[in-house]
Amino acid sequence: MTINKTQRILKTLFWGFLAVALVMVVVYESHLAEAGAMAGNEHLEFIVATALELLTLCCIPLALRMFKMRGISERLKRQPAEALLLWGSIRLGMMGVLLVACVWFYYFFMKPTFGYLAIILLLSMLFVVPTRARCEEETRNE
């Protein structure tokens, strides 16, 4: 596997998460699905909001610093394409799954807290867009 093929796979994964979130927004905003199914359940909302806030606070710094960790960095240098595919997918998955979950819970509870978390995750994902230059930089032997 080459870095270019890995980069294309990671870019597809990146855009896939964004597309799923966008489709969810379009479906709910066009009233094809009913929003606010659990709007009155404050207890469940509190639990879900707390969990997503904690996960977001933990996952964003971890995802942004993941490739600087010694074990991952060494593996990226030894097996660039395979390691980049594995760890890049994990990094995008951590942020992308949370993004989709926040969008879904926004429409599930109709509370702006989840919308703000989704915006924060979307902005954070812009720092890990799998461009060719970033993929080459993260796997370069120094």
Side-chain angles (χ1 to χ4, degrees):
M1 180 175 296
T2 65
I3 293 291
N4 289 336
K5 184 174 181 182
T6 299
Q7 185 259 339
R8 285 194 309 269
I9 293 169
L10 291 175
K11 196 167 236 179
T12 302
L13 187 62
F14 174 83
W15 288 109
F17 281 120
L18 296 182
V20 168
L22 182 62
V23 166
M24 289 172 65
V25 169
V26 169
V27 165
Y28 280 106
E29 291 297 330
S30 64
H31 301 291
L32 295 173
E34 189 64 36
M38 294 297 287
N41 194 341
E42 286 87 13
H43 181 70
L44 181 61
E45 176 194 330
F46 174 76
I47 292 170
V48 172
T50 302
L52 281 177
E53 288 167 357
L54 290 173
L55 282 171
T56 300
L57 284 173
C58 293
C59 285
I60 289 174
L62 178 63
L64 295 177
R65 298 284 303 163
M66 181 182 286
F67 287 6
K68 302 281 189 221
M69 295 176 185
R70 187 180 338 146
I72 296 171
S73 177
E74 289 173 2
R75 190 152 175 224
L76 284 167
K77 305 298 189 250
R78 280 195 319 264
Q79 301 170 319
E82 293 81 12
L84 183 62
L85 181 59
L86 172 67
W87 293 107
S89 298
I90 291 171
R91 175 166 70 177
L92 289 172
M94 286 176 9
M95 297 172 80
V97 168
L98 279 174
L99 171 69
V100 170
C102 287
V103 170
W104 186 72
F105 282 120
Y106 170 75
Y107 287 105
F108 194 65
F109 291 110
M110 289 308 296
K111 293 292 182 181
T113 303
F114 300 106
Y116 295 143
L117 286 173
I119 291 169
I120 291 167
L121 284 159
L122 176 64
L123 292 173
S124 298
M125 284 182 73
L126 296 177
F127 290 102
V128 295
V129 177
T131 61
R132 181 166 294 147
R134 176 168 285 124
C135 291
E136 290 172 357
E137 174 69 28
E138 289 170 339
T139 58
R140 185 179 334 141
N141 285 320
E142 296 173 359

